[in-house]
Amino acid sequence: MGLCFLPFRKYADFTGRARRREFWSFMLLTLVPAAALVAAALSSGSDAVWFAFTSYLLVTFLPSLAVSVRRLHDAGRSGWWWLLVGFFPFGGVVLLVFLLLDSEARDNDHGPCPKPAPLPPHRVAVPPASSVPRAEGA
C-alpha cells in the first residue's frame, strides 16, 4: 500500500525511476476516486461536485505527471515522450505501450534499477551415486 502513496511524497520529482507496480497502483488510487466524482457529478448535476472533481484533478496532476515520467525513465525512455499525448492522434496508445513495458534490468542514464535482482533457482544437493549406501543383497 505504501507504493500507492509514494508519488505523493515525490510529487515534483521527475528524476529517477518508478517500477510498474508503483505507477499502476498510484493510477488505480487516483482514477477510482476521479471516476466516482464524475459519476456523482453527472448524476447530481451539481456545480459543487464538478468543482470538487476539478480540484481533485489539479491536486493529482503533478504527482501523476512526475510518476509517469519516472516510469518512462524506468523503461529506458526520456520523459519527453509524454508529449506524444498532446501532439499526435495516437500518441496516447504509444505512451500506454511504453508505460506497460518492463523495467530495464540494468542501470540506465536515469539511475539504478529499482527492481530487485531475481533469486537464483533453488538447487537441491544430490550426493554422488558412489556415496549412496546400498542395501544388502543388491
Side-chain angles (χ1 to χ4, degrees), residues 72 79-96 98:
L72 287 169
W80 291 105
W81 280 96
W82 204 87
L83 294 176
L84 284 173
V85 174
F87 294 113
F88 297 101
F90 296 103
V93 175
V94 174
L95 183 67
L96 178 65
F98 287 162

Side-chain angles (χ1 to χ4, degrees), residues 36-92:
L37 282 170
V38 167
L42 290 175
S43 65
S44 71
S46 169
D47 288 339
V49 180
W50 282 112
F51 178 74
F53 172 68
T54 305
S55 300
Y56 181 77
L57 287 182
L58 289 174
V59 166
T60 58
F61 175 72
L62 191 59
S64 299
L65 180 62
V67 75
S68 298
V69 168
R70 289 195 313 270
R71 178 71 202 117
L72 287 169
H73 289 171
D74 192 45
R77 305 275 188 268
S78 169
W80 291 105
W81 280 96
W82 204 87
L83 294 176
L84 284 173
V85 174
F87 294 113
F88 297 101
F90 296 103

